Amino acid sequence: AQKITQTQPGMFVQEKEAVTLDCTYDTSDPSYGLFWYKQPSSGEMIFLIYQGSYDQQNATEGRYSLNFQKARKSANLVISASQLGDSAMYFCAMREGNPNSGYALNFGKGTSLLVTP
Amino acid sequence: DSGVTQTPKHLITATGQRVTLRCSPRSGDLSVYWYQQSLDQGLQFLIQYYNGEERAKGNILERFSAQQFPDLHSELNLSSLELGDSALYFCASSAGAGGITDTQYFGPGTRLTVL
């Protein structure tokens, strides 16, 4: 079963506007970590932001923030004041705390974001 | 720049051949992970090494093998290559053994094309 679901294959946003990229996850483990990565057209995977399941506050890193709604099992990425350089694929990923789940990151299929002038 | 290096950047080879992909983790990181990214399968975890020992195994084919050396660099060996092995192969590293807070930093990837 898919553990990470990103329902938006592609999104458009105008420069300087804010955009929300959706991510829902599926786990019965009370302990888990959620990660967002950016993959520009050049191919590298860039770590953006992390949210732990026990964190009381939503994570923020510069223009990136995570709208974490634990009961709804969602961890949406919010990018404020979009820039042309934000155009990329964005991946949501989860690691569960139970060692029986392994130590790998489970990735969603990604959302392609295009920022227009 | 994540601090993770991968060589080569591109690799073109023929079916049936064997190749080796190399990865150097960030300074101080003990874990190395290998991932395969293809259009149809997305990002798939292959294998993790922690301080020289295999820690976790994912969807790694028997034709593929990996190891982590005493200096912590890692190599992924792909043999009897098939057309379907064409993909972007990422190495990632993290400081710890893989706990939920253990952020993985990715290298630039090796793009493998099998003709």
Side-chain angles (χ1 to χ4, degrees), chain A residues 37 45 105 107, chain B residues 2 4 35 43 90-93 104-108:
Chain A
Y37 288 84
M45 292 285 287
L105 284 171
F107 283 88
Chain B
S2 67
V4 180
Y35 290 85
L43 267 155
F90 283 110
C91 167
S93 75
Q104 293 181 23
Y105 294 91
F106 283 71

Side-chain angles (χ1 to χ4, degrees), chain B residues 17-38:
Chain B
Q17 295 297 305
R18 174 190 164 94
V19 297
T20 297
L21 282 52
R22 184 188 165 103
C23 167
S24 292
R26 294 186 321 156
S27 177
D29 282 1
L30 297 178
S31 275
V32 167
Y33 309 78
W34 286 98
Y35 290 85
Q36 179 194 60
Q37 185 180 34
S38 60

Side-chain angles (χ1 to χ4, degrees), chain A residues 44-95:
Chain A
E44 73 269 33
M45 292 285 287
I46 302 166
F47 166 69
L48 296 177
I49 196 167
Y50 163 82
Q51 180 85 45
S53 59
Y54 295 119
D55 293 343
Q56 295 296 314
Q57 299 207 329
N58 286 340
T60 60
E61 284 287 347
R63 293 186 300 111
Y64 304 108
S65 61
L66 214 151
N67 184 359
F68 180 46
Q69 297 187 46
K70 197 169 178 177
R72 298 179 64 182
K73 293 189 177 176
S74 76
N76 298 338
L77 177 70
V78 180
I79 306 174
S80 63
S82 297
Q83 301 171 357
L84 295 177
D86 293 334
S87 295
M89 281 291 287
Y90 288 81
F91 292 94
C92 179
M94 176 177 66
R95 184 194 284 117

Side-chain angles (χ1 to χ4, degrees), chain A residues 8-23:
Chain A
Q8 306 150 313
M11 293 275 289
F12 290 90
V13 66
Q14 206 154 13
E15 211 176 356
K16 299 190 181 70
E17 298 292 311
V19 63
T20 298
L21 306 183
D22 293 343
C23 172

Side-chain angles (χ1 to χ4, degrees), chain B residues 18-19 21 34 47 49 57 60-67 75-79:
Chain B
R18 174 190 164 94
V19 297
L21 282 52
W34 286 98
I47 197 163
Y49 279 83
K57 222 167 185 175
I60 188 166
L61 300 171
E62 283 194 16
R63 300 184 285 109
F64 296 0
S65 64
Q67 53 183 328
E75 292 180 357
L76 179 67
N77 299 297
L78 315 176
S79 61

